[in-house]
């Protein structure tokens, strides 16, 4: 049975001083544009570029300036994949859902990350440690399924590999620690 | 004032005005055409429910009557095999993400899905499609009414009322495709959304998605203008 999960958005609290930063950035961007609805997309894009995502107070401030309901800004921000509603994590996990990766279990990799991190695609873990996204083909289909971890491309990402990737972040990242982490369990 | 026009619906001669949308002319004259997303007074019809098809003389394909502007001597049939097929499919698509269970539905007396089914002899069950299993939460945070998303047909009436009539703008559409939902800013509960509980959206809702809690239906009902005439 096909199913869709549209759960209530869970939004992380702002960091200290973040609200001030948001207000300033948004005010700056708003000054560059005429307060007209057709400028909503460029405004959102620019705010996102500055802040890394579209926090709630930013959307509210923009809505107020354009005299439209805030839910409209939210509607638009959730319509386009381009927009992020959650802050980027310290580590960014991008799971490839291009055709090749999808066919060989990209979905499984994504679900593994979701389960392990306790978040859904597009979200960020509470400490802003990890953010999880899906991306389209990243150009190395032969290594499918592919996950881009920060800037590093990881191939053949099986569920064990997912565990390995996450484990590698638990200790102060030493090169090669991932492989060790992965094998460590059977060895001991 | 626009020019008068004489048109024919199912062969019946009807007086209308040029530029009016056919759907409203038909309804005004007691000719029912299934519809859910049409909103009187909305400048650009969303044309999203695909239930209001008619066959226009001289056109090979059926067109949606909520978007069809009347011109003089326009002649349409409300039914044709093609129209019936399209409406049947559109209706089944709606049902495929609508949690049926009319027996316990608060809106069963006024439900427009049931009305359409009856009117057009459509089945209230899925024959060709699988049910989309929606994990939708029921929002009962408002004092007087409940929002059960699993019965929402995305007609947009509530959104329009809340914004254009009440000027509150608590409700809106978010996401897209199969995940499209009616929701509030950042999906907060209605109680946190700025909703003033005017209840007009509940009255406008054609399905069991928005309904009043037991005994909370306001006495002075029916100020809603979205359906008009
Ligand atoms: S009750 Fe009134 S204010 Fe509240 S959501 Fe419905 S239309 Fe908007
Ligand atoms: S809640 Fe009701 S009025 Fe609003 S879009 Fe859904 S079905 Fe239409
Ligand atoms: S489909 Fe994933 S890298 Fe091409
Ligand atoms: S009423 Fe015409 S498409 Fe919905």
């Amino acid at each position: 049975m096909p199913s869709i999960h549209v759960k209530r958005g869970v939004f992380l609290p702002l960091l200290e001083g973040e609200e001030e930063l948001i207000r300033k950035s948004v005010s700056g961007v708003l000054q560059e544009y005429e307060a007209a609805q057709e400028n909503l997309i460029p405004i959102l894009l620019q705010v996102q570029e500055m802040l890394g995502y579209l926090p709630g107070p930013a959307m509210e401030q923009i809505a107020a300036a354009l005299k439209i309901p805030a839910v409209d800004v939210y509607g638009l921000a959730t319509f386009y994949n381009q927009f992020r509603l959650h802050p980027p994590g310290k580590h960014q996990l991008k799971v490839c859902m291009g055709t090749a990766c999808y066919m060989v279990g990209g979905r499984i990799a994504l679900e593994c990350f979701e389960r392990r991190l306790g978040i859904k695609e597009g979200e960020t873990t509470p400490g802003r440690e990890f953010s999880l996204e899906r991306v389209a083909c990243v150009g190395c289909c032969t290594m499918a399924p592919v996950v881009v971890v920060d800037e590093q491309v990881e191939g053949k990402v099986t569920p064990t590999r997912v565990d390995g990737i996450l484990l590698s972040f638990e200790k102060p990242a030493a090169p090669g620690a991932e492989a060790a982490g992965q094998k460590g369990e059977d060895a001991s | 004032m626009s020019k008068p026009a004489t048109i024919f619906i199912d062969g019946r001669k009807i007086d209308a005005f040029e530029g009016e949308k056919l759907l409203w002319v038909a309804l005004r004259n007691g000719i029912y055409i299934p519809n859910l997303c049409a909103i009187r007074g909305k400048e650009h019809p969303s044309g999203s429910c695909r239930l209001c098809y008619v066959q226009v003389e001289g056109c090979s394909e059926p067109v949606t009557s909520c978007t069809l502007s009347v011109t003089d001597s326009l002649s349409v049939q409300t039914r044709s095999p093609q129209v019936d097929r399209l409406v049947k499919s559109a209706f089944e698509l709606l049902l495929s993400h609508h949690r049926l269970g009319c027996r316990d539905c608060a809106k069963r007396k006024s439900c427009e899905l049931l009305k359409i089914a009856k009117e057009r002899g459509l089945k209230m069950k899925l024959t060709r499609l699988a049910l989309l299993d929606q994990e939708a939460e029921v929002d009962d945070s408002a004092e007087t009414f409940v929002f059960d998303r699993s019965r929402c047909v995305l007609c947009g009436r509530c959104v329009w009322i809340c914004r254009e009539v009440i000027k509150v703008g608590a409700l809106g559409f978010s996401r897209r495709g199969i995940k499209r939902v009616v929701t509030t800013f950042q999906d907060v509960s209605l109680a946190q959304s700025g909703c003033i509980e005017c209840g007009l959206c509940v009255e406008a809702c054609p399905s069991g998605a928005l309904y009043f809690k037991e005994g909370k239906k306001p006495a002075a009902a029916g100020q809603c203008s979205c359906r008009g005439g």
Side-chain angles (χ1 to χ4, degrees):
Chain A
M1 190 186 278
S3 80
I4 42 172
H5 304 266
V6 181
K7 66 167 192 174
R8 205 173 276 293
V10 186
F11 296 93
L12 299 180
L14 298 179
L15 302 175
E16 229 182 273
E18 196 178 359
E19 193 155 4
E20 183 61 26
L21 174 74
I22 292 168
R23 216 179 7 246
K24 273 212 200 111
S25 312
V26 174
S27 305
V29 174
L30 284 171
Q31 265 170 16
E32 291 175 41
Y33 293 91
E34 198 193 326
Q37 210 171 325
E38 59 267 27
N39 288 333
L40 181 54
I41 292 181
I43 291 171
L44 289 177
L45 282 171
Q46 203 171 324
V47 167
Q48 171 163 292
E49 199 163 299
M50 293 175 83
L51 300 171
Y53 73 118
L54 294 174
M59 290 190 274
E60 285 174 307
Q61 194 181 340
I62 295 165
L66 302 191
K67 300 195 172 56
I68 53 175
V71 67
D72 275 13
V73 179
Y74 183 61
L76 195 116
T78 52
F79 188 91
Y80 295 106
N81 283 340
Q82 182 83 17
F83 295 115
R84 312 184 44 122
L85 295 163
H86 300 275
K90 205 167 105 213
H91 301 294
Q92 299 182 21
L93 307 164
K94 302 192 177 103
V95 185
C96 182
M97 287 289 153
T99 314
C101 293
Y102 189 87
M103 290 307 290
V104 294
R107 180 95 244 158
I108 298 174
L110 180 64
E111 278 167 12
C112 278
F113 278 117
E114 289 184 336
R115 226 182 2 256
R116 284 287 312 265
L117 297 171
I119 55 174
K120 290 277 171 209
E121 118 194 27
E123 295 180 352
T124 305
T125 52
R128 297 201 185 182
E129 186 72 10
F130 295 103
S131 53
L132 184 62
E133 283 170 81
R134 57 189 287 164
V135 289
C137 180
V138 292
C140 21
C141 313
T142 48
M143 294 160 69
V146 169
V147 176
V148 185
V149 182
D150 294 326
E151 296 304 310
Q152 177 85 23
V153 176
E154 302 279 344
K156 308 246 182 304
V157 182
T158 56
T160 351
R161 196 71 201 100
V162 168
D163 291 348
I165 290 170
L166 291 177
L167 258 156
S168 73
F169 288 110
E170 279 179 15
K171 296 174 201 92
E178 308 168 13
Q182 200 183 356
K183 297 214 186 81
E185 284 155 42
D186 346 74
S188 61
Chain B
M1 193 72 196
S2 47
K3 282 202 293 181
T6 305
I7 64 166
F8 299 88
I9 304 179
D10 295 338
R12 208 177 114 192
K13 194 169 156 199
I14 284 169
D15 292 325
F17 290 99
E18 289 206 345
E20 276 189 288
K21 299 293 183 237
L22 181 79
L23 175 66
W24 303 115
V25 178
L27 295 178
R28 188 168 71 223
N29 285 280
I31 300 169
Y32 183 70
I33 298 174
N35 69 91
L36 287 173
C37 69
I39 294 171
R40 181 164 291 232
K42 189 171 177 211
E43 204 185 334
H44 304 289
S46 59
S48 57
C49 73
R50 315 314 281 173
L51 290 170
C52 67
Y53 280 111
V54 292
Q55 191 82 43
V56 178
E57 210 177 277
C59 282
S60 56
E61 302 286 327
V63 289
T64 46
S65 59
C66 67
T67 56
L68 177 67
S69 294
V70 164
T71 50
D72 196 33
S73 61
L74 173 80
S75 174
V76 303
Q77 299 292 329
T78 55
R79 302 287 294 268
S80 77
Q82 261 178 306
V83 165
D84 287 356
R85 261 190 65 201
L86 285 168
V87 173
K88 185 176 168 209
S89 296
F91 192 72
E92 188 164 353
L93 272 167
L94 281 177
L95 288 190
S96 74
H97 72 153
H98 183 83
R99 187 172 58 82
L100 282 171
C102 307
R103 212 164 347 128
D104 321 303
C105 178
K107 284 276 190 78
R108 68 188 172 280
K109 295 231 174 70
S110 59
C111 171
E112 286 188 41
L113 293 179
L114 287 173
K115 175 176 175 180
I116 292 165
K118 190 159 165 241
E119 200 65 45
R120 289 286 162 106
L122 299 166
K123 289 201 192 77
M124 285 305 279
K125 69 173 211 249
L126 297 168
T127 52
R128 293 172 291 172
L129 302 172
L131 182 72
L132 261 180
D133 159 36
Q134 301 187 78
E135 272 196 12
E137 289 171 54
V138 175
D139 184 347
D140 59 0
S141 66
E143 188 153 330
T144 49
F145 67 93
V146 178
F147 180 26
D148 179 353
R149 216 170 256 147
S150 67
R151 290 199 161 133
C152 172
V153 295
L154 299 175
C155 68
R157 291 184 195 177
C158 56
V159 173
W160 192 84
I161 292 272
C162 190
R163 172 171 328 174
E164 301 298 330
V165 180
I166 312 301
K167 311 262 183 230
V168 168
L171 300 171
F173 284 103
S174 84
R175 302 168 176 85
R176 73 174 154 170
I178 214 166
K179 292 189 169 173
R180 193 119 173 111
V181 282
V182 164
T183 187
T184 55
F185 178 64
Q186 289 199 314
D187 308 323
V188 297
S189 68
L190 277 160
Q192 297 168 281
S193 70
C195 163
I196 56 166
E197 297 210 25
C198 66
L200 290 199
C201 56
V202 185
E203 277 157 32
C205 180
S207 73
L210 285 164
Y211 59 91
F212 289 111
K213 291 183 178 170
E214 280 288 303
K216 298 283 185 170
K217 192 176 163 66
Q223 321 158 41
C224 155
S225 65
C226 79
R227 311 304 298 155

